[in-house]
């Protein structure tokens, strides 16, 4: 059987890189999405290649529907249909609600939530027609529990959970699973951008006493992408060091 193809949005970021690597280790042909003309892309590809990881690049701003359509058409023409989609691209624009600008709301909702529609819409019908597929949406512990200073981000990440359950119901009979992962605080640039004293106070509340590792999220993605995960759909997988029990 030909190798299955996986697409990871925001695939060159902290979690994205670990997810690409875990899927590559699991035997998938992996394409990493990044913004158009992303300068470090070539270096990222070369560094991974030197470490035994052969990745393809799929450029598009995932907040732009037409760009996603063009990206998926180009990718599928080159590699064949996408069997596994990881909707991972995301940003933060934190601030207390009373100080939050409309632009902060719009940027986070379009990048973190509209993007999930934009990319999934290109790929899910083909998965259902072929009778196999995996969609994995990266939500957040803060979409599950809410977070001071993150009305925009928590709304987008909670929206992903409703989207996940709805789409899961629509394709359950077609061999396609749709699940969400809700990571806690993982040691990537996104978390390192929080002011140190605020970050330290958050880490102090995590029962396991540390930030999560990107590889811990990658391993969960590899499981969800596997044949053996065929009975899990519409789920929210909480992986947060005990920060929030659901
Ligand atoms: N609960 C209650 N009060 C809080 C609070 C909290 N969690 N956090 C801050 N406050 C209080 C402060 O004590 C302060 O009170 P005083 O005015 O009485 O001193 C007041 O709110 C203002 O706090 P700041 O000085 O921090 O305000 P700021 O405007 O400089 O910054 C903020 C606001 C940007 C939201 C900052 O608090 C912050 O960065 N918070 C962390 C938000 C966060 O968790 N982001 C996660 C990013 S990573 C990510 O999103 C990945 C993921 O999915 C997990
Ligand atoms: P990261 O290192 O900043 O990675 C995010 C990636 O998304 C970057 O590669 C970024 O590209 C890309 N991206 C942003 N906007 C995009 C767009 N419009 N089109 C295409 N790509 C875009 O952060 P991360 O921690 O790996 O986060 C990955 C995902 O996990 C996000 O959805 C985040 O919300 C979620 N998450 C993270 C944590 C955590 O603690 N780290 C916890 C829960 C959930 P550029 O670098 O070029 O902007």
């Amino acid at each position: 059987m030909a190798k299955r193809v996986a697409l990871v949005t925001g695939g060159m970021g902290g979690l994205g890189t670990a997810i690409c690597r875990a899927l590559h280790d699991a035997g998938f042909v992996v394409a990493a999405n990044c913004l158009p003309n992303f300068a470090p892309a070539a270096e990222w590809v070369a560094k991974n290649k030197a470490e035994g990881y052969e990745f393809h690049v799929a450029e598009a701003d995932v907040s732009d529907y037409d760009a996603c359509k063009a990206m998926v058409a180009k990718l599928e023409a080159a590699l064949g249909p996408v069997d596994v989609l990881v909707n991972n691209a995301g940003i933060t624009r934190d601030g207390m609600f009373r100080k939050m600008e409309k632009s902060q709301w719009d940027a986070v909702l379009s990048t973190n939530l509209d993007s999930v529609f934009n990319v999934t819409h290109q790929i899910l019908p083909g998965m259902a027609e072929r009778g196999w597929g995996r969609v994995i949406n990266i939500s957040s512990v803060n979409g599950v529990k809410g977070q001071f200073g993150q009305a925009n981000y928590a709304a987008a990440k909670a929206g992903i959970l409703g989207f996940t359950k709805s789409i899961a119901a629509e394709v359950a009979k077609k061999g396609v699973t749709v699940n969400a992962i809700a990571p806690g605080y993982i040691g990537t640039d996104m978390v390192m951008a929080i002011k140190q004293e605020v970050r330290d106070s958050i880490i102090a509340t995590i029962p396991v006493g540390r930030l999560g590792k990107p590889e811990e999220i990658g391993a969960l993605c590899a499981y969800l992408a596997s044949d053996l995960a065929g009975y899990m759909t519409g789920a929210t997988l909480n992986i947060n060091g005990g920060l929030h029990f659901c």
Side-chain angles (χ1 to χ4, degrees):
M1 192 174 89
K3 283 188 170 189
R4 286 175 171 147
V5 175
L7 170 63
V8 181
T9 70
M12 298 182 191
L15 290 192
T17 300
I19 294 167
C20 286
R21 286 178 164 231
L23 292 175
H24 187 279
D25 287 342
F28 293 93
V29 172
V30 180
N33 153 262
C34 64
L35 283 162
N37 308 314
F38 181 56
E43 194 189 323
W44 181 89
V45 168
K47 180 178 183 295
N48 278 285
K49 191 169 183 185
E51 294 170 21
Y53 292 92
E54 195 90 39
F55 293 134
H56 302 264
V57 176
E59 290 186 354
D61 177 341
V62 293
S63 67
D64 177 338
Y65 184 86
D66 291 335
C68 292
K69 193 172 182 181
M71 170 184 72
V72 172
K74 188 173 171 195
L75 183 67
E76 295 201 328
L79 300 181
V82 175
D83 302 296
V84 176
L85 167 62
V86 186
N87 284 308
N88 164 76
I91 58 170
T92 52
R93 295 287 183 271
D94 293 354
M96 290 162 74
F97 182 66
R98 66 182 167 78
K99 294 190 207 161
M100 188 176 284
E101 305 279 348
K102 170 99 166 68
S103 59
Q104 288 171 275
W105 175 268
D106 290 344
V108 169
L109 268 289
S110 64
T111 304
N112 295 13
L113 183 58
D114 291 354
S115 62
V116 177
F117 174 84
N118 294 344
V119 185
T120 308
H121 208 228
Q122 318 306 328
I123 290 173
L124 193 73
M127 288 178 172
E129 254 170 49
R130 294 187 302 277
W132 197 93
R134 300 281 184 263
V135 179
I136 302 166
N137 297 321
I138 306 298
S139 176
S140 165
V141 65
N142 293 343
V144 176
K145 73 168 188 56
Q147 171 64 4
F148 186 105
Q150 287 202 305
N152 50 1
Y153 184 87
K157 293 298 188 181
I160 286 178
L161 303 181
F163 175 89
T164 298
K165 293 171 201 174
S166 305
I167 304 303
E170 292 187 19
V171 294
K173 283 205 175 78
K174 307 281 187 187
V176 181
T177 68
V178 187
N179 292 289
I181 297 178
Y185 286 76
I186 314 298
T188 69
D189 291 350
M190 184 177 274
V191 164
M192 299 326 271
I194 305 171
K195 274 190 294 190
Q196 187 171 349
E197 62 270 27
V198 175
R199 192 172 65 243
D200 288 346
S201 70
I202 292 169
I203 295 171
T205 65
I206 302 173
V208 304
R210 64 169 173 88
L211 295 175
K213 298 176 192 159
E215 295 72 25
E216 292 170 328
I217 307 302
L220 190 49
C221 282
Y223 166 69
L224 286 174
S226 71
D227 279 313
L228 274 176
Y231 202 57
M232 178 172 281
T233 196
T236 300
L237 292 135
N238 296 290
I239 172 165
N240 60 39
L243 180 60
H244 184 67
F245 297 131
C246 324

